[in-house]
Amino acid sequence: MIQLIHKQNKFEERKFPIVLLLDNITGEANIGSIFRLADAFNVEKIIFTGTPPNLQSNRLKKTARSTHQKVLIEINEDCFLVAETLKSQGYWLYALEITSDSVPIGDFDYQQGRPLCLILGNEVSGIDEKLLKISDKGLHINMYGKNSSMNVAQAAGIALYEITKTILAFNKK
């Protein structure tokens, strides 16, 4: 077994109809990690709302490993306006948050054929209540320990994996 470098991998490049809406995520390491995930899963773009990211942060740049220069981004202060606009453009809004009616991400059926917006919330307060109310569905990651939350970047990675896996399986049918 030999480790391959980037140019030797055999992955087929594909674009996924996914927009990441970051609701006031401020941690520079989290933002850098989300950039890497957005590039790895080749999503349409990241939309930052609330506090704008510091794209000049050394911590963010180091974690992002140049993906912050490759992934399309938008910055808008108003998360609710962005979500309403995406919804009017035909996007499904999926909030990654444990709520009273959220469903496990591994059980959710993504076969609707519309593009989707995955909403990720602030590291402390989660997703804004107004966003939760207009979301089409709440999704959560089952957890089996004592804690009821995980790091937002790790959650984003799990969610993107599950979503893209399901989209790929649907497209093979």
Side-chain angles (χ1 to χ4, degrees), residues 26-104:
T26 58
E28 293 168 350
N30 285 333
I31 294 169
S33 293
I34 292 170
F35 267 114
R36 284 188 72 181
L37 290 164
D39 178 68
F41 288 99
N42 207 8
V43 303
E44 289 179 15
K45 65 183 165 185
I46 301 173
I47 303 175
F48 294 94
T49 62
T51 305
N54 176 6
L55 298 176
Q56 300 310 310
S57 156
N58 287 333
R59 179 77 168 135
L60 185 150
K61 289 178 186 179
K62 183 176 181 180
T63 308
R65 293 185 56 143
S66 81
T67 56
H68 65 292
Q69 299 169 338
K70 298 174 185 169
V71 176
L72 182 64
I73 67 164
E74 288 180 20
I75 300 172
N76 190 312
E77 194 172 298
D78 190 338
C79 62
F80 188 72
L81 177 64
V82 169
E84 284 287 326
T85 300
L86 288 169
K87 200 168 197 166
S88 73
Q89 294 171 350
Y91 283 80
W92 289 104
L93 301 180
Y94 297 124
L96 187 60
E97 187 77 73
I98 299 170
T99 68
S100 58
D101 61 351
S102 60
V103 297

Side-chain angles (χ1 to χ4, degrees), residues 137-154:
K137 182 63 77 176
L139 305 174
H140 68 261
I141 298 165
N142 285 341
M143 298 183 57
Y144 303 101
K146 295 185 182 352
N147 196 353
S148 64
S149 68
M150 68 174 63
N151 175 275
V152 66
Q154 293 169 344

